[in-house]
Structure formats: structure tokens, C-alpha cells
Amino acid sequence: MWHLYHFPLCPFSRKVQLAMSEKKVQFELVRVYPWNAPDTFQELNPAGRTPVLHDRDKQRVLVDSQAICEYFEETEAAAPLILGSAAARAEIRRLVALFDECFFADVTGPLLQEKMKKRLIARQSPDSRTLRDAMRLAHEHLDYVDWLIDNRRWLAGAQLSLADFAAAAQISVADYLGGIDWSGHEQAHGWYRVLKSRPSFAPLLKQKMEGIPAPRHYADVNA
Amino acid sequence: MWHLYHFPLCPFSRKVQLAMSEKKVQFELVRVYPWNAPDTFQELNPAGRTPVLHDRDKQRVLVDSQAICEYFEETEAAAPLILGSAAARAEIRRLVALFDECFFADVTGPLLQEKMKKRLIARQSPDSRTLRDAMRLAHEHLDYVDWLIDNRRWLAGAQLSLADFAAAAQISVADYLGGIDWSGHEQAHGWYRVLKSRPSFAPLLKQKMEGIPAPRHYADVNA
Ligand SMILES: N[C@@H](CCC(=O)N[C@@H](CS)C(=O)NCC(=O)O)C(=O)O
Ligand SMILES: N[C@@H](CCC(=O)N[C@@H](CS)C(=O)NCC(=O)O)C(=O)O
């Protein structure tokens, strides 16, 4: 059995959960906070980051959300998420990197720092200027999602793919932290509501980070 | 013909150059500075980052070094770089992410900021504390390379892989910027000298960033 080391607001762990659920690969969640992790976690991943996927019996350890998703893409035929021609697959991976790296650096990362880490670790209040910047950049990213959805059925093209799940994973964490304002983003909002309604998304909407309440609309699939 | 948009000290563009050269895929270099790029570059990659690979005739654009490397892995049979079982391939991708993300965030990124961007853009001198931190973290990463090379023939296992090229790409940029001190890192140093001697590496050792001289040892394959 796979054990996924994660914390509820880690967007990369969410991406892995979505991909594994879509592919119907079983796993159990193990909660770990990278900033306060036991040595046993550091031994599984010297980089000290979530997600880590561990199969104790078979002594297998997988590290890095993209390495994990590529692994299941190669080993599980069901529900392909990196699909199509080589060019189509490159487009999926471009968008995954855009959300994993740029959306995270601009939006999710600063929100986690200001609204989660500062509260839980340093017991400080968030810096309002950093929050404003993150929300402004969130609008720019959502503009790009609007544009994609104006031109394509799903983010990377005609098919639902890992790009949609990577993007929705980041957005769901930003939304939990009050950083998403859908006004002016009809297309992006419609796309997100469809993803939020998938069975694979339901467990994410239930996971709570202690000490950080989610806004009321967060878990409402119609909101 | 592929055109690779890069600048000489972009480690991700170096990784792509190495992978394409190993696979004997032809390309021409186009120099671009992401912080001062023409609109035409932004149109190729809305994220505004290097590397971007463009084939004008066939109207193909590939963005993100890992998406590019995976693309050639799928389309070129020669010189496999993400090779072996699914587990072996996951290990290669874990290490690529470790160097692309953690080594870059700890070492290459701060060195580029302090020694390249501050000099070229802001005409400021580097912050010595940030440089000290980057060099300390470089030692920690090189300790890990030592450990890997103590236990394996190449970074990810018995075979030369993209992990070696991703790591060497980052290290070569840090070395250009004076951030690598090999003392106490016999194994890592031996491994790097072997990579540096490969024909695919020779063009990188000749590329110069205007206004930023490389230290004498940088291009010496015996140093
Ligand atoms: N590219 C990695 C990113 C992993 C990552 O950055 N994880 C964060 C949590 S969201 C982490 O563990 N950071 C270390 C820390 O917070 O101390 C992946 O996709 O798995
Ligand atoms: N994950 C991306 C990273 C690309 C990246 O961060 N590129 C840097 C240059 S090293 C960049 O263009 N940054 C924007 C800037 O410097 O303005 C890749 O592997 O291609």
C-alpha cells in the first residue's frame, strides 16, 4: 500500500492525490509538516519536501509530484493524464510547470507563507502588501486561464489532462486561503467548478488545516 | 531547424543544450534576456522565461526545460537520458527536480541575482551575506553528490542520465560565477570533470556572458 506524506495545504500533494484518484490507485494519507518533520521523513526525502510516496512493503520511495505523476502515467493505463502526441504532451507539461512553478511562486507560495506559516510557526500577522501582490498576480493567472478556456475545451487542449489537475490543485489552496476572487473570470470559474465536482476532488474539499479555517464557499461545489 | 532562446548563464537552457547535443538534435542559439525581452519572446512564452525552443517552419514552440527534454526523450531514440524501469525513471526525475529546483533556489538563483543581475541591471555590488549563504548551501549539495557517487556509478544509478546533465548544468553556472569550491568534494569533482570533458559540454564552456568574466579554471576540463 502506498502512503502519501502530505499536509492539507500542500498543492503538489493535492496534484498527486488527484492524479492517483483519477487513476484509481489506492493510497493512505500520512500527515507531515516539512518545516517540523521527524528524521524519518528526511530519510525518505533528503530535500525535506512534500509530497513523498512510500510503499513500506515493497520498499519503494517516490519523491517530487511530477516524478510521481509520470511514474503512474507509465505504470497505470487507466485515465491517461499526459496524453496525445509528443507535442500535446509537451503542452501539458508546459502548463503543469507554469502552475507548479509560476502560479506557486506568485500566488500559492506567498499565501502559504503569509497566512499559514506566519500564523502557525511565527504567530505573526500576514503582510498586507505581499497579500495584495499575490491577489493581483492571481488575477493575471486567471486571465490566462480565461484565455485558454476561450480557445480550448480544457487547459491543454481537447482532453482533460494533468494540466487541469495541477492548476486546480494550486487554485484550490489559494482559494482555501482566501486568495481567489472570481469576478471577471467567468470562463476560469466555470472550468474550476467542473473540476471541483469530480469525485477525485471531494476528499480535498474535506481536508482541513488545523488553526486555518477555510472560507464558507471553499467546499461548496456550486460556488 | 530548432532555435533555442537562451542566455549563456541560464542553467535550464544549458540542460536543454546538453540533452539535445547528446541526442545529436541540431539547433541554433538565439540570445535573449528574459528581464529585457522583446514582445516577440513573450508571445512565444507568456511566462517570459528561458529556455524556449522554436521551429519557425513547422510552427512548433516548446517551453520549459523538462517538457523539452521529455519531448526529445519521446521522439529521439538515440542516447536515452530518462531510462530504465519506471522506478529508475522516477529516480532520475527526482534528481532532476532536486537540481532544477533546490540547487537553483539555494545556489544558482542567488548567485545569478547577486553577481549577474545586480551587476548588469542595477549596477549594484553583490550582498556578501547572500553569497556566503549560497556557497555554504553549495557545499551541502556537493556533499550529497559525493554521497551519490560513493554509492552509484552516476547520480541516478548505473547509467548516465538526465540527472547528471541537470546537475552539471546548474553547477557549471555556479562555477562560472565563482560559487563552487571543490575542496572536500573529491567524488563530486571527479564526476564533474568527466562530464565537463564530454563533447556536448564543450560549447557551454565557450559561451560568455558580456560584462561577467569567467574565472580562469572554469573552461579548463582538467581543473
Ligand atoms: N516540485 C516539488 C515541490 C515540492 C514543494 O515545494 N513542497 C513544499 C510544500 S508545498 C515543501 O515541502 N517545502 C518545504 C517547507 O515548507 O519547509 C513537487 O512538485 O513535489
Ligand atoms: N522550470 C523552468 C525554469 C525556467 C527559468 O526559471 N528560467 C529563468 C532563467 S534561468 C528565467 O527566465 N527567469 C525569468 C527572469 O529572469 O526574468 C525550466 O526548467 O525551463
Side-chain angles (χ1 to χ4, degrees):
Chain A
M1 171 66 98
W2 290 108
H3 285 82
L4 179 65
Y5 289 77
H6 85 127
F7 62 94
L9 294 182
C10 171
F12 308 102
S13 306
R14 288 181 167 228
K15 171 184 159 197
V16 167
Q17 289 182 64
L18 290 169
M20 292 180 79
S21 299
E22 291 287 331
K23 289 178 172 292
K24 309 246 186 299
V25 181
Q26 303 278 313
F27 60 93
E28 270 172 25
L29 291 170
V30 183
R31 204 171 276 211
V32 70
Y33 302 114
W35 55 90
N36 189 15
D39 289 349
T40 47
F41 179 68
Q42 206 72 24
E43 281 156 28
L44 291 178
N45 179 12
R49 306 196 299 175
T50 50
V52 171
L53 200 60
H54 185 207
D55 185 331
R56 270 168 244 182
D57 310 327
K58 305 208 179 113
Q59 299 207 318
R60 281 182 299 191
V61 186
L62 302 179
V63 167
D64 185 75
S65 71
Q66 194 56 20
I68 295 170
C69 290
E70 299 275 358
Y71 176 88
F72 288 113
E73 202 59 26
E74 293 175 3
T75 55
E76 301 287 334
L81 296 174
I82 308 175
L83 71 180
S85 66
R89 294 157 61 89
E91 176 65 358
I92 293 166
R93 292 189 180 105
R94 172 182 81 85
L95 288 167
V96 169
L98 184 70
F99 286 94
D100 278 5
E101 297 174 20
C102 303
F103 191 98
F104 181 77
D106 290 342
V107 183
T108 329
L111 287 171
L112 284 168
Q113 177 62 28
E114 297 302 320
K115 292 198 150 185
M116 182 191 72
K117 288 201 177 176
K118 276 200 180 168
R119 190 184 297 187
L120 297 182
I121 307 175
R123 310 223 169 256
Q124 290 170 346
S125 40
D127 178 63
S128 53
R129 192 174 157 173
T130 307
L131 291 183
R132 258 201 317 278
D133 286 345
M135 293 198 59
R136 182 179 50 77
L137 291 168
H139 275 297
E140 292 185 14
H141 284 284
L142 293 178
D143 281 340
Y144 189 57
V145 173
D146 288 334
W147 181 84
L148 289 172
I149 293 299
D150 267 341
N151 288 280
R152 305 165 166 187
R153 172 90 184 79
W154 299 96
L155 292 195
Q159 313 272 351
L160 176 66
S161 79
L162 190 61
D164 299 284
F165 293 109
Q170 295 290 336
I171 290 171
S172 72
V173 173
D175 191 35
Y176 188 112
L177 295 170
I180 298 294
D181 167 11
W182 292 112
S183 50
H185 303 292
E186 286 292 308
Q187 298 91 327
H189 196 183
W191 159 86
Y192 183 63
R193 264 195 301 245
V194 171
L195 279 169
K196 211 174 164 182
S197 312
R198 292 182 74 83
S200 62
F201 228 90
L204 300 188
L205 299 177
K206 288 192 208 107
Q207 290 166 21
K208 293 279 178 299
M209 189 78 190
E210 319 74 73
I212 320 274
R216 189 120 25 115
H217 72 263
Y218 165 74
D220 179 352
V221 291
N222 299 312
Chain B
M1 171 66 95
W2 290 110
H3 286 83
L4 178 65
Y5 289 77
H6 86 125
F7 62 95
L9 294 181
C10 171
F12 309 102
S13 305
R14 288 181 167 229
K15 172 185 159 198
V16 167
Q17 289 182 64
L18 291 169
M20 292 181 78
S21 300
E22 291 286 332
K23 290 177 173 292
K24 310 244 187 299
V25 181
Q26 303 278 313
F27 60 93
E28 270 173 26
L29 291 170
V30 182
R31 202 169 279 209
V32 70
Y33 302 115
W35 54 90
N36 189 15
D39 290 349
T40 48
F41 180 68
Q42 206 72 23
E43 280 157 29
L44 291 178
N45 179 12
R49 307 196 298 175
T50 50
V52 171
L53 200 60
H54 185 208
D55 186 330
R56 270 168 244 182
D57 311 327
K58 304 206 180 116
Q59 299 207 317
R60 280 181 301 190
V61 186
L62 302 179
V63 167
D64 185 75
S65 71
Q66 193 57 20
I68 296 171
C69 290
E70 299 275 358
Y71 176 87
F72 287 114
E73 201 60 26
E74 293 175 3
T75 55
E76 301 287 334
L81 296 174
I82 307 174
L83 72 180
S85 65
R89 292 158 62 90
E91 176 65 359
I92 293 166
R93 292 189 181 105
R94 172 183 79 85
L95 288 166
V96 169
L98 184 70
F99 286 94
D100 279 3
E101 298 175 20
C102 302
F103 191 99
F104 181 77
D106 290 343
V107 183
T108 329
L111 288 170
L112 285 168
Q113 177 61 29
E114 297 301 320
K115 293 197 150 186
M116 182 191 73
K117 288 201 178 174
K118 276 200 179 168
R119 191 183 298 187
L120 298 183
I121 308 174
R123 311 227 168 252
Q124 290 170 347
S125 39
D127 178 63
S128 53
R129 193 174 156 173
T130 307
L131 291 181
R132 259 202 316 279
D133 286 344
M135 293 197 61
R136 181 177 51 74
L137 291 169
H139 275 297
E140 291 184 16
H141 283 283
L142 293 178
D143 282 340
Y144 189 57
V145 173
D146 288 335
W147 181 84
L148 289 172
I149 294 299
D150 268 341
N151 289 280
R152 303 166 167 186
R153 173 89 185 77
W154 299 97
L155 291 195
Q159 313 271 352
L160 176 67
S161 79
L162 190 61
D164 300 283
F165 293 109
Q170 295 289 335
I171 290 171
S172 72
V173 173
D175 192 32
Y176 188 112
L177 296 170
I180 298 293
D181 167 11
W182 292 112
S183 51
H185 303 291
E186 285 293 308
Q187 298 91 326
H189 195 182
W191 159 86
Y192 183 64
R193 264 194 302 246
V194 171
L195 279 169
K196 212 175 162 180
S197 312
R198 292 182 74 84
S200 62
F201 229 90
L204 300 189
L205 299 177
K206 286 191 210 109
Q207 289 165 21
K208 294 277 177 298
M209 188 79 190
E210 319 73 75
I212 319 273
R216 188 113 36 108
H217 71 265
Y218 165 74
D220 179 353
V221 292
N222 300 310

